[in-house]
Each structure stands twice: as C-alpha cells, then as structure tokens.
Amino acid sequence: MKFRKKILCIGAGYVGGPSMAMIAYKCPDYRVTVVDINHERIDAWNSAELPVYEPGLEEIVKKTRGKNLFFVKDIENQISENDIIFVSVNTPTKMFGTGAGMAADLQYWEKTARQILQYSQSSKIVIEKSTLPVKTALAMERILGSAKGNFTFEVLSNPEFMAEGTAISDLENPDRILIGSRETKSGLKARAELVEIYARWIPEEKIITSNIWSSELSKLVANAFLAQRVSSINSISALCEKADADVTQVAKAVGMDSRIGGKFLNAGVGFGGSCFKKDILNLVYLCNFYGLPEVASYWESVVKINEYQQERFVTNIIASMFNTLAGKKICIMGFAFKGNTGDTRESPAIYITRRLLEERAEVIISDPQALKNAALDLAAEKGSITYREDPYLAAASCHALAILTDWDLYRKLDYKKIYKTMVKPAFLFDGRNITDHKKCFAIGFNVYPTGKPPLSHFKSRQES
Ligand code: NAD
Ligand code: UGA
C-alpha cells in the first residue's frame, strides 16, 4: 500500500507510543513508525503485553499495529526513510554538573538531533514533542543546520498535554493542540503539514499556533499552573485540619467561581509523575538563568509545599499511631502516582514508603498495575516489604491502611471485610479522600482523611 505521509517518532515511551498509536488510528493512510534505543521496549510494543498501561490503548494498538503502525529497532534507516520526525525522548532533571537537580538533562535529546543529522539524506520536518526548556529549538536548528547535503530541516514545537491514565481520551479529544514554528515561508509550510495531520480528527479551532518560544514555554507553564493548583489546595488542607474545616467543601465553594474553576483542587498526598516536579524545576532554573530570582522562588515554593505535604502525611501517621511504627504492619493501597496507570515515577508512595521503613514499620504494598515498578523503585531499600496485588490479602493482619493512589477500586472495597481481618485499633489514613469516611468510622476504623478533622474512636471516648 502506498501511504500518503510517512511519520517517524523517536522515543517509544509513555508519550511516543500512545500519541503515535492515535495518529495511526485516525489516519489509516499514513504510515507511522516508532523507534527506540531500548529494544526491550520495542519488543514489548510488539507483544501482547504493552509496556505502558493506559485504558483504551491496547484496543487501538491492536487495530493499527502491523497495518500502518510499526515499532522497529532500526533507527538509522527509519530516519532516512521518513519525512516527518517527532522527537519524544525523555528529558529528565539533570543530575550532574551545572544545573544539577534543576535544569533539564538534554543529552538524550541532543543525541537524537545528531542522529537525525547523520542519517538524513533529504529535507525533513523535525517536531519537538518532548518537554524542553525555552529556546531548545534553536539548538536543534543549529545542530541540523550543519548538514552538508542539499536539503533543509524545519524545526517545530508541538508539546504534548496528555495526562497518564487518560492518555487515550486526551489524545482523541484534547483541549488544544499547540504548534510553534518560525514565521518564515518554510516554517509556515511545515506548520501547515502538521496542522493537516491533527485536522483529521481535531476541530481546527482547537489547533492553535504560535512562535516556537511561546510554544516551548507554554508547556512548562501549563504544568507549573496545574501543579500550583495542587500545592495551593494541599497547603489549605493543612490549615483545614487545624481549623476543623473540610478541604473538599472549601474546594467546592472556591471552584464554583467560574474564574477559578473546580478542576485540580483535590487535596491529597501531593503530586507525583515524571513531569510536574521536573518541569517546575526546569522553569525555576530558567528564571534564575535569566536573572529573575523572585520569579524562581515563587515557582520553587510549589515543589516545597509538595514535599511538605508528603512529610506531613507521614508525621500524621506516626503521631496518630502513638508515636511508634516499629514492627507495625502498614498496608499501602496504591503505589502508582495516580489511578489508571502503572507508572510510579516520582510517586508520593516512594517517599512515604521509605519514611515508613525508616520508622521500622513493615510495609505491605498493593496496587493493581504498579507492583512491578514499585519493586524496582524500592529494590535498594532495607526493611520488610511485601507486594500483594489483592487488597484484601494485603490488608489482612495490618495495623493501618494508607491510601496513596486514587484507584477507583479503593472506593468500592468491602471495608467491613477488611476491618475484620486487621489488628485493632485499626487505622485508615486516606491520602486521596476516596473512601466513605463516616461509613469506615462506623465500621470501627479510626479515620484520618486529608484536610478534614479525623474521625477517631479514642477522641469520642475521651469526650463522652
Ligand atoms: P519515557 O522515558 O517513557 O520515554 C522516552 C523514550 O525515549 C525511552 O523509551 C528512551 O529509551 C527513548 N530514547 C531516549 N534517547 C533515545 C534516542 N537517542 N533514540 C531513540 N530513543 C531514545 O518518557 P515519556 O514519559 O514518554 O516522556 C517523553 C517526553 O514527553 C518528556 O520530555 C516528557 O516531559 C514529555 N511528556 C510526558 C508526558 C507523560 O505523561 N509521560 C506527557 C507530556 C509530555
Ligand atoms: C500532567 C498534566 O496533567 C498533563 O497535561 C501533562 O501533559 C503531563 O503532566 C506531562 O507533561 O507529563 P500527569 O502527570 O500524567 O499529567 O497526571 P495529572 O493528572 O496531571 O496528575 C499529576 C499528579 O497530580 C498526580 O500525582 C495526581 O494524583 C496529582 N493531583 C492531580 C492531585 O493530587 N490533585 C488533583 O486535583 C489533581
């Protein structure tokens, strides 16, 4: 079959895989190829067990794989064969040298730029899909600009806004698609090519264009604003606990103001995921780099509140359980950084588990999708860690439950059945406010929600 467009994506991760599967699904007359230096990942994409868990992903991969969606290992040939190249490699926080702990580590990204340069024999459109510091496209242009052949490269910025756990619906029905380009004739032509792809299934009014630097920066700012909302409500959850207010009620009242909006106001154990922290730290680094320390410290406080919230959750457990956790069994319900994903990168559960182990608690971890990753994250930890997928088995003979991920499953558990198998007095620390607190209290649990007064049987006995 002759395909109308040939698209390559370098990087077969959480973004590259699902976003390319969506393009292949919506554009059956385009050939979409995904490559990665990690050959195990490519094998997994070609197997029955995909490397990424996302509701709805398997269905669209099954419909497209081998027809117009291909996962392959041969990067060199693919670069030379394809005209449109998305770059979706990882851009983690740099852990060495200048900018360590703050700036983006661009080594994977730059290696890709050099590979594109080395293996290209014709003009190409190169699209930044990875999240990058503002002005990165300039470096890409400079590297590619050193090409010797009679061909050119046009660099576009097309940041990805999907969230894990809802990737497929976000990709199918995004709030917007942002495309940044140079305002030159060739830049606008390349932009039009990319618009044409998305216009296959996304209404044109949702496809917005800007200059490259605005596009790069918008991605960092969008994540910073989202994380800021989470830190804002989490900071208020601490105040609610002191002032006998209920953070859910406060969030509802505040969020109903249409100028504020109700989304991203769920208080909890703090934000995790591979991007919020790294992207804010990257923004902080950029602000300092451009001589704006006040702006930098404003955004840095979003990360600090997030760390405070996680530590607060642990100190609350210790204080509520009579100031000692040594030898006590604590069941961690949920290790993924959010529900509907197996991803544990920067999950608050990692920090909280480590702290519980430091206190010599025995930790039993349950999660429907993330146990493999949890075991990798905690491989170096000393202490007693058990992994059990079944939440009922995990909770049996525990002193406390700590709910750390908003899996729907945890809303529906039979807490009466769980309570019966636990050591008494039994504690429930709801780090996501997803259980029915009054009902669990009535069952017999001492319930410690987030940002609401605790429901403690000790307290009511003292008062009566
Ligand atoms: P990931 O680590 O899951 O995937 C990146 C992949 O790139 C890895 O499989 C890695 O092996 C591969 N890679 C690295 N260097 C390569 C090279 N030279 N050639 C070929 N492959 C190479 O990362 P991710 O979560 O998919 O994120 C990718 C980018 O997208 C990051 O910049 C991230 O900030 C951004 N982003 C992520 C999300 C998300 O939900 N995870 C959402 C929006 C944007
Ligand atoms: C986030 C953004 O939502 C995406 O738009 C963006 O593309 C992506 O980062 C990225 O750049 O990687 P993601 O991290 O997958 O997506 O998931 P979110 O739904 O944003 O949740 C992030 C964290 O915040 C989770 O730990 C979640 O539990 C927490 N959160 C979210 C709260 O604690 N409260 C809320 O109200 C919302």
Side-chain angles (χ1 to χ4, degrees):
M1 171 171 175
K2 191 157 174 5
F3 290 102
R4 277 198 59 215
K5 277 188 207 280
K6 288 185 291 179
I7 296 171
L8 175 67
C9 177
I10 303 181
Y14 285 87
V15 169
S19 61
M20 292 305 122
M22 185 56 71
I23 293 181
Y25 178 56
K26 295 292 182 182
C27 312
D29 51 339
Y30 295 176
R31 188 187 72 183
V32 182
T33 308
V34 189
V35 291
D36 203 295
I37 39 170
N38 182 340
H39 289 182
E40 273 176 30
R41 242 184 181 176
I42 293 296
D43 287 339
W45 279 110
N46 284 317
S47 76
E49 201 181 321
L50 302 182
V52 167
Y53 171 74
E54 277 295 337
L57 175 64
E58 208 173 287
E59 287 82 342
I60 64 167
V61 169
K62 272 189 188 153
K63 283 183 184 146
T64 50
R65 196 173 51 190
K67 294 191 182 99
N68 68 329
L69 175 66
F70 304 92
F71 295 94
V72 304
K73 295 173 187 168
D74 173 13
I75 300 180
E76 290 84 349
N77 272 329
Q78 290 304 329
I79 289 176
S80 111
E81 271 181 32
N82 285 278
D83 321 314
I84 299 175
I85 304 179
F86 286 88
V87 180
S88 180
V89 299
N90 39 327
T91 51
T93 302
K94 195 176 171 196
M95 298 314 283
F96 54 88
T98 306
M102 283 277 172
D105 183 348
L106 297 176
Q107 60 171 308
Y108 308 101
W109 177 88
E110 177 163 341
K111 190 160 174 255
T112 314
R114 290 184 188 279
Q115 280 175 315
I116 296 174
L117 175 67
Q118 190 178 352
Y119 301 113
S120 290
Q121 282 134 21
S122 58
S123 295
K124 302 198 188 291
I125 298 174
V126 179
I127 304 157
E128 300 176 339
K129 201 157 233 339
S130 300
T131 303
L132 294 159
V134 63
K135 293 277 162 117
T136 305
L138 192 60
M140 178 70 103
E141 283 175 350
R142 284 180 177 159
I143 292 171
L144 297 177
S146 64
K148 298 229 162 46
N150 190 20
F151 48 86
T152 54
F153 295 95
E154 203 56 53
V155 180
L156 301 177
S157 159
N158 171 220
E160 182 51 64
F161 294 102
M162 60 156 239
E164 288 179 32
T166 52
I168 298 306
S169 60
D170 293 347
L171 289 165
E172 192 155 32
N173 185 22
D175 285 350
R176 77 305 207 184
I177 291 292
L178 174 59
I179 303 173
S181 71
R182 290 280 188 184
E183 306 280 318
T184 57
K185 198 171 160 205
S186 57
L188 296 178
K189 187 164 170 271
R191 186 171 92 183
E193 276 243 27
L194 187 53
V195 168
E196 193 185 307
I197 297 176
Y198 286 114
R200 284 295 190 90
W201 76 97
I202 293 162
E204 294 229 9
E205 65 275 12
K206 282 194 173 182
I207 305 175
I208 58 170
T209 56
S210 73
N211 79 37
I212 305 190
W213 323 130
S214 306
S215 171
E216 289 178 332
L217 189 56
S218 301
K219 172 64 200 179
L220 291 183
V221 174
N223 273 0
F225 272 50
L226 289 169
Q228 179 206 42
R229 286 175 72 88
V230 177
S231 277
S232 295
I233 200 67
N234 282 342
S235 72
I236 296 304
S237 76
L239 181 57
C240 287
E241 284 166 30
K242 297 280 180 209
D244 289 331
D246 178 327
V247 74
T248 309
Q249 293 172 353
V250 173
K252 185 174 178 192
V254 170
M256 279 179 76
D257 185 326
S258 61
R259 294 168 302 174
I260 297 171
K263 291 185 183 163
F264 264 69
L265 290 181
N266 293 321
V269 279
F271 59 76
S274 62
C275 293
F276 276 2
K277 185 174 165 193
K278 95 167 158 67
D279 291 347
I280 295 175
L281 292 178
N282 188 351
L283 188 65
V284 169
Y285 181 77
L286 283 169
C287 293
N288 279 321
F289 175 83
Y290 285 111
L292 303 167
E294 290 81 1
V295 185
S297 74
Y298 172 72
W299 287 107
E300 199 169 5
S301 69
V302 171
V303 176
K304 286 193 175 143
I305 286 288
N306 199 50
E307 288 163 356
Y308 163 77
Q309 187 75 350
Q310 294 175 31
E311 178 57 24
R312 218 167 66 72
F313 185 77
V314 176
T315 47
N316 186 27
I317 295 182
I318 300 171
S320 312
M321 294 182 74
F322 322 118
N323 293 310
T324 175
L325 300 182
K328 290 184 182 163
K329 288 188 176 177
I330 301 189
C331 176
I332 304 270
M333 293 215 163
F335 205 86
F337 80 97
K338 63 183 283 197
N340 286 327
T341 177
D343 195 353
T344 59
R345 291 178 291 178
E346 296 292 338
S347 176
I350 300 174
Y351 175 82
I352 291 167
T353 304
R354 284 198 184 125
R355 285 284 291 108
L356 296 176
L357 290 169
E358 258 172 42
E359 295 295 328
R360 309 226 172 139
E362 291 180 30
V363 175
I364 295 89
I365 299 173
S366 191
D367 191 291
Q369 290 293 338
L371 289 190
K372 239 194 230 170
N373 282 332
L376 292 174
D377 295 329
L378 300 173
E381 298 307 316
K382 292 197 183 76
S384 170
I385 310 174
T386 310
Y387 300 94
R388 277 203 203 291
E389 195 175 317
D390 183 323
Y392 294 100
L393 293 179
S397 76
C398 282
H399 296 73
L401 307 177
I403 300 179
L404 303 189
T405 308
D406 52 345
W407 281 107
D408 218 21
L409 164 77
Y410 300 144
R411 293 178 211 276
K412 299 173 187 156
L413 291 178
D414 182 345
Y415 284 94
K416 203 170 188 176
K417 183 172 155 190
I418 289 178
Y419 178 77
K420 279 189 191 151
T421 66
M422 288 178 66
V423 175
K424 312 294 178 320
F427 294 82
L428 169 58
F429 298 94
D430 190 349
R432 294 292 184 172
N433 284 341
I434 57 169
T435 56
D436 184 332
H437 299 141
K438 282 191 184 136
K439 200 168 154 193
C440 289
F441 177 65
I443 289 170
F445 280 104
N446 294 295
V447 184
Y448 295 81
T450 303
K452 304 169 191 234
L455 298 170
S456 155
H457 293 285
F458 313 124
K459 199 170 147 193
S460 53
R461 257 180 228 139
Q462 250 172 30
E463 282 167 2
S464 60

